[in-house]
Amino acid sequence: MRDVLNARGAPVLGAYVVPEAGDREAAAGAARAVRAAGADFIVTATSGPERSQYTSTNQSIDLAAACLRRAEVPAVATVTTWSRTVMALQAHLLGAHARGITRLVCGSGSPPPTGDHARVDGRWTVDAVGLIELLRGLNEGRDRYGLRLEAATHFDIGVRIRAVPRLSEADRVRIRTKIDAGAHSIVTSPVYTRAALEPLLDVVDGAVPVFATVHPLRSVAEAELLRGELPAGCVPEELVRRLADAADGDGFAQEAGRAAVEAATVCADGTQGVILSRADRPELVARVRAALPRRVAG
């Protein structure tokens, strides 16, 4: 996403495109709509960022290629390593590059839950750090085993990192390891309060651009569920109470939209931009665009 930053200047605005059943036409249509509303780029995935560990790499790349080709929108594909051998990953990546998909967000991922099980064990031959190292090697003109490529790739390597109010020393080491491995930028998990960003920004210390994901909550039940699932402080009690007080017909949607715009504005301070978790509300994209600081000429 460095080229988008260079062209626009910070803060930039992105939106996740997550179509039902990997529908390419729906993805391209959503990409066109949010582009018209003011988005600088889109991120493709087959599940929302709140469940992005379940994203299918090959489908995300395919959706990004469809958006790039049919909607002419800068597209970022989500790449996860679960249930993929290194050679399969390398083949997917080289295929993506050949289709013009060079902007990526990397993660280890997990297979989606099935049946009554909350989680299914997966297979990983490399984790997110290994994926970053693989991409860095391709950019240097060599494959996983050191063999020279006919031409070096030019991937822009993003990595997904959890933003929480408190980071352990192991968390901090892991973040620095990903940057040292070759990550060019960081995309956070959904952020609902600036307090969840501060520890991550402290560790990064300006080494690479950071893009904060903002997720407009869709119901009081979702807010309460996330508050219970996520680490303490990620979803403030005041936010849940505020949304619950507004939950009377259209009141909730309006208040949730206001909360998302506020979060995006706060998160834009100290980061290089924000990414809305869904592209199915172009009007919200336009509101966030209008609220973000403008680039200062000169």
Side-chain angles (χ1 to χ4, degrees):
M1 287 181 279
R2 292 170 295 176
D3 57 337
V4 177
L5 272 175
N6 290 337
R8 173 94 190 185
V12 297
L13 175 60
Y16 273 86
V17 170
V18 190
E20 294 293 333
D23 187 326
R24 298 178 192 173
E25 289 299 332
R32 280 190 290 267
V34 297
R35 180 67 155 172
D40 299 302
F41 63 94
I42 57 98
V43 183
T44 60
T46 53
S47 59
E50 68 276 17
R51 292 289 182 270
S52 66
Q53 66 266 34
Y54 307 142
T55 280
S56 166
T57 290
N58 55 337
Q59 288 185 0
S60 179
I61 290 170
D62 190 51
L63 291 172
C67 291
L68 181 64
R69 184 175 67 255
R70 302 181 192 187
E72 298 183 346
V73 178
V76 182
T78 303
V79 178
T80 57
T81 67
W82 65 266
S83 198
R84 292 286 187 275
T85 65
V86 174
M87 293 309 294
L89 276 170
Q90 182 167 282
H92 283 312
L93 295 170
L94 291 175
H97 196 273
R99 300 173 73 182
I101 303 305
T102 59
R103 307 175 186 92
L104 306 174
V105 176
C106 303
S108 298
S110 299
T114 58
D116 296 328
H117 300 284
R119 173 126 351 179
V120 178
D121 289 336
R123 301 186 304 276
W124 293 265
T125 57
V126 292
D127 59 7
V129 173
L131 177 55
I132 294 168
E133 291 172 340
L134 171 60
L135 287 162
R136 185 182 68 187
L138 296 177
N139 281 350
E140 293 171 352
R142 52 181 170 77
D143 72 4
R144 172 72 176 184
Y145 301 104
L147 300 176
R148 299 302 302 178
L149 303 175
E150 289 187 10
T153 59
H154 50 277
F155 285 111
D156 191 310
I157 309 168
V159 62
R160 182 177 163 87
I161 292 179
R162 188 178 66 157
V164 294
R166 285 170 290 281
L167 291 173
S168 67
E169 183 55 32
D171 291 330
R172 292 172 178 270
V173 169
R174 185 72 173 168
I175 293 167
R176 289 191 290 264
T177 299
K178 290 176 179 178
I179 294 173
D180 292 342
H184 298 139
S185 62
I186 289 170
V187 173
T188 75
S189 58
V191 175
Y192 305 92
T193 172
R194 172 71 187 213
L197 264 181
E198 294 295 348
L200 174 59
L201 294 177
D202 179 62
V203 175
V204 175
D205 194 25
V208 295
V210 175
F211 301 91
T213 300
V214 173
H215 175 58
L217 291 161
R218 290 166 288 192
S219 68
V220 175
E222 181 186 35
E224 292 174 338
L225 176 65
L226 289 173
R227 184 167 178 266
E229 283 186 344
L230 297 175
C234 284
V235 181
E237 183 179 352
E238 313 87 79
L239 174 60
V240 179
R241 192 163 51 239
R242 171 183 170 184
L243 295 176
D245 290 344
D248 55 349
D250 292 338
F252 176 86
Q254 293 173 2
E255 193 62 31
R258 277 193 289 269
V261 173
E262 291 167 10
T265 305
V266 170
C267 289
D269 181 22
T271 69
Q272 280 63 51
V274 297
I275 306 175
L276 291 176
S277 67
R278 296 277 179 171
D280 53 4
R281 292 183 61 187
E283 79 288 350
L284 185 57
V285 174
R287 287 172 60 191
V288 172
R289 174 82 278 163
L292 291 181
R294 300 288 181 177
R295 183 180 184 182
V296 178

